[in-house]
Amino acid sequence: MQRLDGGSAVPLPLRGAIVALGNFDGFHLGHQAVVGRAVERARAEGRPAIVATFDPHPRRFFQPDAPPFRLTTLDQRERLFGHAGAAAMLVFHFDATLARLTARQFADQLVDTVGAAGVVTGEDFTFGKGREGSVATLAALGEELGFTAETVAPVALDGGTVSSSRIRAALKAGDPGTAAALLTRPFAISAEVEGGAKLGRQLGYPTANMRLGTYLRPAYGIYAVRGRLPDGRVLDGVANLGIRPSFDPPIELLESFFFDFSGDLYGQRLEVELIAYLRPEAKFDSLDALIAQMDQDSARARDLLARG
């Protein structure tokens, strides 16, 4: 799958594509419906399918001091779009120049960049300076500029609309199961494993330490997790996500201990899926009390993960 710059014309074999257009952070069920429709149309018409997204997220541009909220990195989205059948991911860099474009100017850029034959969005898609453009605006511009515009209705699950905000709320509430149902896969943090103070090794629980970066902060606490290594291996484990209140200074990390594994993960990019929330973080009066709790957490995580 190709990653393309939204500021440059796409290669000739990809021109005339059907474009799924949106932020698609998380690539949840609703996003999958939009991209799925674009891929379906592209195949029916013998065209390529391209997913166009924005990076950074427009909210980060307009609210630079907002707390981290991302559900996926660009690399994760690229992989997910490829699995969904897209031929390429087109990334519009969201900066002051893009923010100043009118709806008409953005549509012109889409035509110039892709030569789009069709554009598929969600029903709530907005674009252009001050979010002046709606799906009706896009349809009208399409008629004028030579592309069709199609919308896909929101997807409902368990009595509510599937949305990134609903997923974020579930993760903040310590409910990764609901988030996974809406995403169709566990929420996963991908980052490089860093060296640490080796406190876990001293306790008999050597951990792979990862920064959370721009990801949303789920509820701090202990999780049953699955780690996916670059070589394809999948490891069950238990992790602390938070600031480690039993140690000073507090450092925000995802620290994963993988069962029945010995090896050096430093410097490798690891993806850790949050499967189940076990308990909140806690401060312990002694290392013995902490180790006893870690033993209980590990046993519980093993049991939960063994069930699938």
Side-chain angles (χ1 to χ4, degrees):
M1 179 174 176
Q2 298 184 58
R3 182 185 297 193
L4 307 170
D5 180 359
S8 304
V10 304
L12 188 59
L14 292 174
R15 291 193 68 79
I18 305 298
V19 180
L21 179 60
N23 287 312
F24 301 125
D25 185 26
F27 199 52
H28 56 59
L29 273 167
H31 299 151
Q32 291 168 34
V34 174
V35 172
R37 177 56 185 153
V39 170
E40 179 184 45
R41 274 196 56 189
R43 288 174 176 168
E45 299 175 21
R47 299 178 180 277
I50 293 177
V51 181
T53 188
F54 301 92
D55 193 74
H57 194 290
R59 193 208 300 184
R60 177 57 60 203
F61 175 80
F62 290 112
Q63 302 175 27
D65 297 327
F69 59 86
R70 275 295 199 185
L71 297 172
T72 46
T73 63
L74 203 55
D75 287 342
Q76 286 175 311
R77 273 175 279 156
E78 180 178 11
R79 185 174 68 251
L80 291 165
F81 298 159
H83 289 163
M89 176 177 73
L90 182 68
V91 182
F92 288 104
H93 181 68
F94 202 96
D95 56 13
T97 300
L98 191 65
R100 284 194 296 266
L101 294 182
T102 65
R104 172 59 189 254
Q105 288 171 328
F106 179 77
D108 284 337
Q109 182 172 332
L110 193 63
V111 171
D112 293 342
T113 301
V114 187
V119 179
V120 183
T121 69
E123 290 182 347
D124 60 351
F125 180 73
T126 59
F127 66 107
K129 184 178 179 180
R131 303 174 71 180
E132 66 178 3
S134 65
V135 293
T137 310
L138 188 64
L141 288 168
E143 287 187 12
E144 181 181 345
L145 298 173
F147 62 84
T148 60
E150 182 177 350
T151 60
V152 175
V155 174
L157 184 71
D158 297 333
T161 300
V162 177
S163 67
S164 297
S165 59
R166 186 177 167 195
I167 293 165
R168 293 186 186 105
L171 291 168
K172 288 180 179 180
D175 184 5
T178 292
L182 302 174
L183 289 166
T184 70
R185 66 189 185 281
F187 170 71
I189 292 169
S190 176
E192 185 175 299
V193 177
E194 300 182 359
K198 296 183 172 55
L199 295 171
R201 191 175 302 278
Q202 296 171 24
L203 300 173
Y205 283 90
T207 56
N209 301 335
M210 298 158 58
R211 302 280 178 176
L212 299 177
T214 61
Y215 283 105
L216 171 89
R217 273 38 175 181
Y220 282 176
I222 312 303
Y223 289 83
V225 299
R226 283 200 173 93
R228 298 185 181 274
L229 274 59
D231 63 11
R233 281 181 292 171
V234 178
L235 306 173
D236 286 353
V238 64
N240 186 95
L241 191 158
I243 58 171
R244 312 177 308 166
S246 293
F247 300 98
D248 287 322
I251 301 174
E252 186 183 59
L253 290 170
L254 174 62
E255 301 173 294
S256 302
F257 168 71
F258 297 113
F259 309 136
D260 310 316
F261 172 79
S262 61
D264 183 3
L265 296 174
Y266 293 145
Q268 296 191 52
R269 179 159 289 273
L270 189 64
E271 188 170 76
V272 176
E273 300 173 345
L274 305 187
I275 305 300
Y277 183 77
L278 304 184
R279 63 173 177 85
E281 281 194 302
K283 186 170 184 177
F284 294 87
D285 295 331
S286 68
L287 288 182
D288 287 343
L290 173 59
I291 292 170
Q293 183 62 59
M294 292 168 70
D295 291 342
Q296 293 179 33
D297 296 335
S298 295
R300 188 177 171 202
R302 278 184 184 271
D303 181 58
L304 286 169
L305 293 167
R307 299 179 200 172

PDB file of all heavy atoms in Angstrom, residues 79-111:
ATOM      1  N   ARG A  79      -1.932   0.723   7.881  1.00  0.00           N
ATOM      2  CA  ARG A  79      -2.070  -0.737   7.866  1.00  0.00           C
ATOM      3  C   ARG A  79      -3.546  -1.153   7.826  1.00  0.00           C
ATOM      4  O   ARG A  79      -3.935  -2.055   7.067  1.00  0.00           O
ATOM      5  CB  ARG A  79      -1.384  -1.339   9.094  1.00  0.00           C
ATOM      6  CG  ARG A  79      -1.362  -2.861   9.101  1.00  0.00           C
ATOM      7  CD  ARG A  79      -0.541  -3.405  10.253  1.00  0.00           C
ATOM      8  NE  ARG A  79      -1.147  -3.160  11.538  1.00  0.00           N
ATOM      9  CZ  ARG A  79      -0.697  -2.296  12.437  1.00  0.00           C
ATOM     10  NH1 ARG A  79       0.376  -1.563  12.182  1.00  0.00           N
ATOM     11  NH2 ARG A  79      -1.302  -2.139  13.596  1.00  0.00           N
ATOM     12  N   LEU A  80      -4.369  -0.490   8.604  1.00  0.00           N
ATOM     13  CA  LEU A  80      -5.791  -0.827   8.651  1.00  0.00           C
ATOM     14  C   LEU A  80      -6.482  -0.513   7.322  1.00  0.00           C
ATOM     15  O   LEU A  80      -7.323  -1.292   6.854  1.00  0.00           O
ATOM     16  CB  LEU A  80      -6.467  -0.057   9.790  1.00  0.00           C
ATOM     17  CG  LEU A  80      -6.057  -0.487  11.201  1.00  0.00           C
ATOM     18  CD1 LEU A  80      -6.486   0.556  12.225  1.00  0.00           C
ATOM     19  CD2 LEU A  80      -6.642  -1.848  11.552  1.00  0.00           C
ATOM     20  N   PHE A  81      -6.139   0.614   6.705  1.00  0.00           N
ATOM     21  CA  PHE A  81      -6.724   0.952   5.414  1.00  0.00           C
ATOM     22  C   PHE A  81      -6.336  -0.083   4.356  1.00  0.00           C
ATOM     23  O   PHE A  81      -7.145  -0.448   3.496  1.00  0.00           O
ATOM     24  CB  PHE A  81      -6.259   2.336   4.946  1.00  0.00           C
ATOM     25  CG  PHE A  81      -6.659   3.482   5.848  1.00  0.00           C
ATOM     26  CD1 PHE A  81      -5.959   4.683   5.806  1.00  0.00           C
ATOM     27  CD2 PHE A  81      -7.725   3.367   6.727  1.00  0.00           C
ATOM     28  CE1 PHE A  81      -6.328   5.755   6.617  1.00  0.00           C
ATOM     29  CE2 PHE A  81      -8.093   4.433   7.557  1.00  0.00           C
ATOM     30  CZ  PHE A  81      -7.386   5.628   7.498  1.00  0.00           C
ATOM     31  N   GLY A  82      -5.084  -0.533   4.413  1.00  0.00           N
ATOM     32  CA  GLY A  82      -4.644  -1.543   3.462  1.00  0.00           C
ATOM     33  C   GLY A  82      -5.407  -2.844   3.607  1.00  0.00           C
ATOM     34  O   GLY A  82      -5.822  -3.466   2.620  1.00  0.00           O
ATOM     35  N   HIS A  83      -5.619  -3.248   4.862  1.00  0.00           N
ATOM     36  CA  HIS A  83      -6.383  -4.473   5.108  1.00  0.00           C
ATOM     37  C   HIS A  83      -7.823  -4.335   4.618  1.00  0.00           C
ATOM     38  O   HIS A  83      -8.461  -5.336   4.260  1.00  0.00           O
ATOM     39  CB  HIS A  83      -6.373  -4.806   6.598  1.00  0.00           C
ATOM     40  CG  HIS A  83      -5.043  -5.277   7.091  1.00  0.00           C
ATOM     41  ND1 HIS A  83      -4.697  -5.316   8.430  1.00  0.00           N
ATOM     42  CD2 HIS A  83      -3.948  -5.719   6.438  1.00  0.00           C
ATOM     43  CE1 HIS A  83      -3.469  -5.752   8.565  1.00  0.00           C
ATOM     44  NE2 HIS A  83      -2.987  -6.009   7.366  1.00  0.00           N
ATOM     45  N   ALA A  84      -8.332  -3.095   4.599  1.00  0.00           N
ATOM     46  CA  ALA A  84      -9.708  -2.860   4.159  1.00  0.00           C
ATOM     47  C   ALA A  84      -9.836  -2.838   2.640  1.00  0.00           C
ATOM     48  O   ALA A  84     -10.957  -2.756   2.128  1.00  0.00           O
ATOM     49  CB  ALA A  84     -10.227  -1.551   4.739  1.00  0.00           C
ATOM     50  N   GLY A  85      -8.709  -2.877   1.932  1.00  0.00           N
ATOM     51  CA  GLY A  85      -8.765  -2.955   0.478  1.00  0.00           C
ATOM     52  C   GLY A  85      -8.351  -1.706  -0.266  1.00  0.00           C
ATOM     53  O   GLY A  85      -8.443  -1.668  -1.499  1.00  0.00           O
ATOM     54  N   ALA A  86      -7.903  -0.676   0.449  1.00  0.00           N
ATOM     55  CA  ALA A  86      -7.472   0.552  -0.225  1.00  0.00           C
ATOM     56  C   ALA A  86      -6.117   0.340  -0.885  1.00  0.00           C
ATOM     57  O   ALA A  86      -5.260  -0.387  -0.385  1.00  0.00           O
ATOM     58  CB  ALA A  86      -7.389   1.704   0.766  1.00  0.00           C
ATOM     59  N   ALA A  87      -5.927   1.019  -2.014  1.00  0.00           N
ATOM     60  CA  ALA A  87      -4.654   0.932  -2.721  1.00  0.00           C
ATOM     61  C   ALA A  87      -3.629   1.911  -2.163  1.00  0.00           C
ATOM     62  O   ALA A  87      -2.423   1.704  -2.298  1.00  0.00           O
ATOM     63  CB  ALA A  87      -4.866   1.211  -4.210  1.00  0.00           C
ATOM     64  N   ALA A  88      -4.121   2.996  -1.550  1.00  0.00           N
ATOM     65  CA  ALA A  88      -3.202   4.019  -1.050  1.00  0.00           C
ATOM     66  C   ALA A  88      -3.881   4.832   0.046  1.00  0.00           C
ATOM     67  O   ALA A  88      -5.109   4.901   0.133  1.00  0.00           O
ATOM     68  CB  ALA A  88      -2.751   4.941  -2.184  1.00  0.00           C
ATOM     69  N   MET A  89      -3.035   5.458   0.878  1.00  0.00           N
ATOM     70  CA  MET A  89      -3.485   6.421   1.873  1.00  0.00           C
ATOM     71  C   MET A  89      -2.940   7.785   1.464  1.00  0.00           C
ATOM     72  O   MET A  89      -1.731   7.945   1.256  1.00  0.00           O
ATOM     73  CB  MET A  89      -2.977   6.056   3.266  1.00  0.00           C
ATOM     74  CG  MET A  89      -3.338   7.087   4.337  1.00  0.00           C
ATOM     75  SD  MET A  89      -2.821   6.607   6.016  1.00  0.00           S
ATOM     76  CE  MET A  89      -1.034   6.843   5.905  1.00  0.00           C
ATOM     77  N   LEU A  90      -3.837   8.736   1.313  1.00  0.00           N
ATOM     78  CA  LEU A  90      -3.465  10.098   0.941  1.00  0.00           C
ATOM     79  C   LEU A  90      -3.538  10.967   2.193  1.00  0.00           C
ATOM     80  O   LEU A  90      -4.594  11.069   2.819  1.00  0.00           O
ATOM     81  CB  LEU A  90      -4.422  10.626  -0.129  1.00  0.00           C
ATOM     82  CG  LEU A  90      -4.164  12.020  -0.684  1.00  0.00           C
ATOM     83  CD1 LEU A  90      -2.880  12.044  -1.508  1.00  0.00           C
ATOM     84  CD2 LEU A  90      -5.343  12.475  -1.545  1.00  0.00           C
ATOM     85  N   VAL A  91      -2.429  11.577   2.570  1.00  0.00           N
ATOM     86  CA  VAL A  91      -2.361  12.339   3.816  1.00  0.00           C
ATOM     87  C   VAL A  91      -2.305  13.834   3.510  1.00  0.00           C
ATOM     88  O   VAL A  91      -1.350  14.325   2.906  1.00  0.00           O
ATOM     89  CB  VAL A  91      -1.126  11.939   4.645  1.00  0.00           C
ATOM     90  CG1 VAL A  91      -1.110  12.708   5.966  1.00  0.00           C
ATOM     91  CG2 VAL A  91      -1.123  10.433   4.907  1.00  0.00           C
ATOM     92  N   PHE A  92      -3.362  14.543   3.931  1.00  0.00           N
ATOM     93  CA  PHE A  92      -3.365  15.998   3.853  1.00  0.00           C
ATOM     94  C   PHE A  92      -2.752  16.542   5.145  1.00  0.00           C
ATOM     95  O   PHE A  92      -3.281  16.297   6.234  1.00  0.00           O
ATOM     96  CB  PHE A  92      -4.780  16.538   3.681  1.00  0.00           C
ATOM     97  CG  PHE A  92      -5.368  16.303   2.323  1.00  0.00           C
ATOM     98  CD1 PHE A  92      -6.315  15.311   2.125  1.00  0.00           C
ATOM     99  CD2 PHE A  92      -4.974  17.072   1.242  1.00  0.00           C
ATOM    100  CE1 PHE A  92      -6.864  15.090   0.871  1.00  0.00           C
ATOM    101  CE2 PHE A  92      -5.510  16.861  -0.023  1.00  0.00           C
ATOM    102  CZ  PHE A  92      -6.461  15.862  -0.212  1.00  0.00           C
ATOM    103  N   HIS A  93      -1.647  17.247   5.017  1.00  0.00           N
ATOM    104  CA  HIS A  93      -1.012  17.831   6.197  1.00  0.00           C
ATOM    105  C   HIS A  93      -1.848  19.027   6.637  1.00  0.00           C
ATOM    106  O   HIS A  93      -1.992  20.010   5.891  1.00  0.00           O
ATOM    107  CB  HIS A  93       0.414  18.268   5.899  1.00  0.00           C
ATOM    108  CG  HIS A  93       1.119  18.857   7.080  1.00  0.00           C
ATOM    109  ND1 HIS A  93       1.465  18.113   8.193  1.00  0.00           N
ATOM    110  CD2 HIS A  93       1.516  20.136   7.342  1.00  0.00           C
ATOM    111  CE1 HIS A  93       2.050  18.894   9.076  1.00  0.00           C
ATOM    112  NE2 HIS A  93       2.098  20.118   8.587  1.00  0.00           N
ATOM    113  N   PHE A  94      -2.425  18.927   7.847  1.00  0.00           N
ATOM    114  CA  PHE A  94      -3.321  19.992   8.302  1.00  0.00           C
ATOM    115  C   PHE A  94      -2.508  21.086   8.970  1.00  0.00           C
ATOM    116  O   PHE A  94      -2.032  20.954  10.095  1.00  0.00           O
ATOM    117  CB  PHE A  94      -4.388  19.452   9.255  1.00  0.00           C
ATOM    118  CG  PHE A  94      -5.595  20.345   9.311  1.00  0.00           C
ATOM    119  CD1 PHE A  94      -6.703  20.071   8.525  1.00  0.00           C
ATOM    120  CD2 PHE A  94      -5.617  21.481  10.105  1.00  0.00           C
ATOM    121  CE1 PHE A  94      -7.816  20.910   8.537  1.00  0.00           C
ATOM    122  CE2 PHE A  94      -6.717  22.318  10.131  1.00  0.00           C
ATOM    123  CZ  PHE A  94      -7.822  22.027   9.339  1.00  0.00           C
ATOM    124  N   ASP A  95      -2.354  22.177   8.238  1.00  0.00           N
ATOM    125  CA  ASP A  95      -1.603  23.332   8.743  1.00  0.00           C
ATOM    126  C   ASP A  95      -2.393  24.600   8.441  1.00  0.00           C
ATOM    127  O   ASP A  95      -3.555  24.541   7.998  1.00  0.00           O
ATOM    128  CB  ASP A  95      -0.205  23.382   8.118  1.00  0.00           C
ATOM    129  CG  ASP A  95      -0.247  23.391   6.585  1.00  0.00           C
ATOM    130  OD1 ASP A  95      -1.346  23.601   6.008  1.00  0.00           O
ATOM    131  OD2 ASP A  95       0.816  23.200   5.962  1.00  0.00           O
ATOM    132  N   ALA A  96      -1.776  25.744   8.675  1.00  0.00           N
ATOM    133  CA  ALA A  96      -2.479  27.018   8.478  1.00  0.00           C
ATOM    134  C   ALA A  96      -2.917  27.196   7.032  1.00  0.00           C
ATOM    135  O   ALA A  96      -3.993  27.745   6.755  1.00  0.00           O
ATOM    136  CB  ALA A  96      -1.575  28.177   8.912  1.00  0.00           C
ATOM    137  N   THR A  97      -2.108  26.719   6.093  1.00  0.00           N
ATOM    138  CA  THR A  97      -2.455  26.849   4.678  1.00  0.00           C
ATOM    139  C   THR A  97      -3.711  26.061   4.353  1.00  0.00           C
ATOM    140  O   THR A  97      -4.640  26.572   3.698  1.00  0.00           O
ATOM    141  CB  THR A  97      -1.291  26.383   3.794  1.00  0.00           C
ATOM    142  OG1 THR A  97      -0.136  27.184   4.060  1.00  0.00           O
ATOM    143  CG2 THR A  97      -1.642  26.477   2.321  1.00  0.00           C
ATOM    144  N   LEU A  98      -3.767  24.820   4.826  1.00  0.00           N
ATOM    145  CA  LEU A  98      -4.946  23.995   4.562  1.00  0.00           C
ATOM    146  C   LEU A  98      -6.166  24.554   5.287  1.00  0.00           C
ATOM    147  O   LEU A  98      -7.280  24.556   4.742  1.00  0.00           O
ATOM    148  CB  LEU A  98      -4.692  22.548   4.990  1.00  0.00           C
ATOM    149  CG  LEU A  98      -5.745  21.528   4.541  1.00  0.00           C
ATOM    150  CD1 LEU A  98      -5.768  21.397   3.024  1.00  0.00           C
ATOM    151  CD2 LEU A  98      -5.475  20.163   5.170  1.00  0.00           C
ATOM    152  N   ALA A  99      -5.961  25.051   6.498  1.00  0.00           N
ATOM    153  CA  ALA A  99      -7.080  25.582   7.281  1.00  0.00           C
ATOM    154  C   ALA A  99      -7.713  26.801   6.624  1.00  0.00           C
ATOM    155  O   ALA A  99      -8.894  27.089   6.850  1.00  0.00           O
ATOM    156  CB  ALA A  99      -6.609  25.931   8.693  1.00  0.00           C
ATOM    157  N   ARG A 100      -6.930  27.516   5.810  1.00  0.00           N
ATOM    158  CA  ARG A 100      -7.453  28.723   5.155  1.00  0.00           C
ATOM    159  C   ARG A 100      -8.230  28.422   3.874  1.00  0.00           C
ATOM    160  O   ARG A 100      -8.908  29.305   3.344  1.00  0.00           O
ATOM    161  CB  ARG A 100      -6.303  29.683   4.829  1.00  0.00           C
ATOM    162  CG  ARG A 100      -5.770  30.452   6.029  1.00  0.00           C
ATOM    163  CD  ARG A 100      -4.894  31.608   5.590  1.00  0.00           C
ATOM    164  NE  ARG A 100      -3.697  31.144   4.898  1.00  0.00           N
ATOM    165  CZ  ARG A 100      -2.528  30.937   5.490  1.00  0.00           C
ATOM    166  NH1 ARG A 100      -2.399  31.149   6.797  1.00  0.00           N
ATOM    167  NH2 ARG A 100      -1.483  30.521   4.808  1.00  0.00           N
ATOM    168  N   LEU A 101      -8.127  27.214   3.353  1.00  0.00           N
ATOM    169  CA  LEU A 101      -8.804  26.894   2.098  1.00  0.00           C
ATOM    170  C   LEU A 101     -10.320  26.932   2.272  1.00  0.00           C
ATOM    171  O   LEU A 101     -10.857  26.408   3.247  1.00  0.00           O
ATOM    172  CB  LEU A 101      -8.394  25.497   1.615  1.00  0.00           C
ATOM    173  CG  LEU A 101      -6.949  25.277   1.190  1.00  0.00           C
ATOM    174  CD1 LEU A 101      -6.766  23.856   0.693  1.00  0.00           C
ATOM    175  CD2 LEU A 101      -6.525  26.278   0.120  1.00  0.00           C
ATOM    176  N   THR A 102     -10.996  27.543   1.315  1.00  0.00           N
ATOM    177  CA  THR A 102     -12.457  27.485   1.305  1.00  0.00           C
ATOM    178  C   THR A 102     -12.891  26.087   0.882  1.00  0.00           C
ATOM    179  O   THR A 102     -12.076  25.274   0.412  1.00  0.00           O
ATOM    180  CB  THR A 102     -13.030  28.502   0.317  1.00  0.00           C
ATOM    181  OG1 THR A 102     -12.621  28.137  -1.017  1.00  0.00           O
ATOM    182  CG2 THR A 102     -12.555  29.907   0.639  1.00  0.00           C
ATOM    183  N   ALA A 103     -14.168  25.806   1.045  1.00  0.00           N
ATOM    184  CA  ALA A 103     -14.678  24.509   0.618  1.00  0.00           C
ATOM    185  C   ALA A 103     -14.408  24.298  -0.871  1.00  0.00           C
ATOM    186  O   ALA A 103     -13.997  23.204  -1.296  1.00  0.00           O
ATOM    187  CB  ALA A 103     -16.175  24.412   0.913  1.00  0.00           C
ATOM    188  N   ARG A 104     -14.624  25.308  -1.655  1.00  0.00           N
ATOM    189  CA  ARG A 104     -14.373  25.216  -3.095  1.00  0.00           C
ATOM    190  C   ARG A 104     -12.901  24.957  -3.382  1.00  0.00           C
ATOM    191  O   ARG A 104     -12.553  24.107  -4.224  1.00  0.00           O
ATOM    192  CB  ARG A 104     -14.830  26.505  -3.783  1.00  0.00           C
ATOM    193  CG  ARG A 104     -14.443  26.621  -5.273  1.00  0.00           C
ATOM    194  CD  ARG A 104     -15.017  25.480  -6.087  1.00  0.00           C
ATOM    195  NE  ARG A 104     -14.505  25.455  -7.443  1.00  0.00           N
ATOM    196  CZ  ARG A 104     -15.219  25.831  -8.500  1.00  0.00           C
ATOM    197  NH1 ARG A 104     -16.448  26.291  -8.345  1.00  0.00           N
ATOM    198  NH2 ARG A 104     -14.697  25.758  -9.698  1.00  0.00           N
ATOM    199  N   GLN A 105     -12.017  25.654  -2.708  1.00  0.00           N
ATOM    200  CA  GLN A 105     -10.587  25.465  -2.937  1.00  0.00           C
ATOM    201  C   GLN A 105     -10.134  24.062  -2.543  1.00  0.00           C
ATOM    202  O   GLN A 105      -9.294  23.464  -3.221  1.00  0.00           O
ATOM    203  CB  GLN A 105      -9.796  26.521  -2.157  1.00  0.00           C
ATOM    204  CG  GLN A 105      -9.905  27.921  -2.731  1.00  0.00           C
ATOM    205  CD  GLN A 105      -9.295  28.972  -1.827  1.00  0.00           C
ATOM    206  OE1 GLN A 105      -9.309  28.843  -0.587  1.00  0.00           O
ATOM    207  NE2 GLN A 105      -8.756  30.026  -2.417  1.00  0.00           N
ATOM    208  N   PHE A 106     -10.703  23.537  -1.444  1.00  0.00           N
ATOM    209  CA  PHE A 106     -10.325  22.178  -1.054  1.00  0.00           C
ATOM    210  C   PHE A 106     -10.816  21.167  -2.090  1.00  0.00           C
ATOM    211  O   PHE A 106     -10.102  20.229  -2.441  1.00  0.00           O
ATOM    212  CB  PHE A 106     -10.876  21.823   0.326  1.00  0.00           C
ATOM    213  CG  PHE A 106     -10.514  20.423   0.751  1.00  0.00           C
ATOM    214  CD1 PHE A 106      -9.234  20.136   1.208  1.00  0.00           C
ATOM    215  CD2 PHE A 106     -11.435  19.385   0.666  1.00  0.00           C
ATOM    216  CE1 PHE A 106      -8.874  18.844   1.571  1.00  0.00           C
ATOM    217  CE2 PHE A 106     -11.087  18.092   1.021  1.00  0.00           C
ATOM    218  CZ  PHE A 106      -9.803  17.817   1.479  1.00  0.00           C
ATOM    219  N   ALA A 107     -12.027  21.351  -2.590  1.00  0.00           N
ATOM    220  CA  ALA A 107     -12.544  20.454  -3.624  1.00  0.00           C
ATOM    221  C   ALA A 107     -11.683  20.531  -4.881  1.00  0.00           C
ATOM    222  O   ALA A 107     -11.399  19.510  -5.519  1.00  0.00           O
ATOM    223  CB  ALA A 107     -13.991  20.797  -3.932  1.00  0.00           C
ATOM    224  N   ASP A 108     -11.260  21.732  -5.244  1.00  0.00           N
ATOM    225  CA  ASP A 108     -10.363  21.893  -6.392  1.00  0.00           C
ATOM    226  C   ASP A 108      -9.062  21.122  -6.165  1.00  0.00           C
ATOM    227  O   ASP A 108      -8.553  20.450  -7.079  1.00  0.00           O
ATOM    228  CB  ASP A 108     -10.034  23.378  -6.610  1.00  0.00           C
ATOM    229  CG  ASP A 108     -11.172  24.155  -7.241  1.00  0.00           C
ATOM    230  OD1 ASP A 108     -12.029  23.527  -7.909  1.00  0.00           O
ATOM    231  OD2 ASP A 108     -11.216  25.392  -7.071  1.00  0.00           O
ATOM    232  N   GLN A 109      -8.528  21.210  -4.944  1.00  0.00           N
ATOM    233  CA  GLN A 109      -7.279  20.507  -4.642  1.00  0.00           C
ATOM    234  C   GLN A 109      -7.471  18.999  -4.743  1.00  0.00           C
ATOM    235  O   GLN A 109      -6.595  18.281  -5.238  1.00  0.00           O
ATOM    236  CB  GLN A 109      -6.781  20.885  -3.245  1.00  0.00           C
ATOM    237  CG  GLN A 109      -5.454  20.214  -2.881  1.00  0.00           C
ATOM    238  CD  GLN A 109      -4.864  20.727  -1.575  1.00  0.00           C
ATOM    239  OE1 GLN A 109      -5.103  21.864  -1.189  1.00  0.00           O
ATOM    240  NE2 GLN A 109      -4.089  19.892  -0.908  1.00  0.00           N
ATOM    241  N   LEU A 110      -8.616  18.527  -4.297  1.00  0.00           N
ATOM    242  CA  LEU A 110      -8.894  17.089  -4.369  1.00  0.00           C
ATOM    243  C   LEU A 110      -8.930  16.627  -5.828  1.00  0.00           C
ATOM    244  O   LEU A 110      -8.388  15.566  -6.163  1.00  0.00           O
ATOM    245  CB  LEU A 110     -10.224  16.789  -3.679  1.00  0.00           C
ATOM    246  CG  LEU A 110     -10.559  15.328  -3.383  1.00  0.00           C
ATOM    247  CD1 LEU A 110      -9.545  14.734  -2.409  1.00  0.00           C
ATOM    248  CD2 LEU A 110     -11.968  15.220  -2.805  1.00  0.00           C
ATOM    249  N   VAL A 111      -9.542  17.432  -6.670  1.00  0.00           N
ATOM    250  CA  VAL A 111      -9.598  17.094  -8.097  1.00  0.00           C
ATOM    251  C   VAL A 111      -8.204  17.163  -8.717  1.00  0.00           C
ATOM    252  O   VAL A 111      -7.782  16.276  -9.470  1.00  0.00           O
ATOM    253  CB  VAL A 111     -10.574  18.030  -8.834  1.00  0.00           C
ATOM    254  CG1 VAL A 111     -10.470  17.825 -10.345  1.00  0.00           C
ATOM    255  CG2 VAL A 111     -11.997  17.781  -8.364  1.00  0.00           C
TER     256      VAL A 111
END
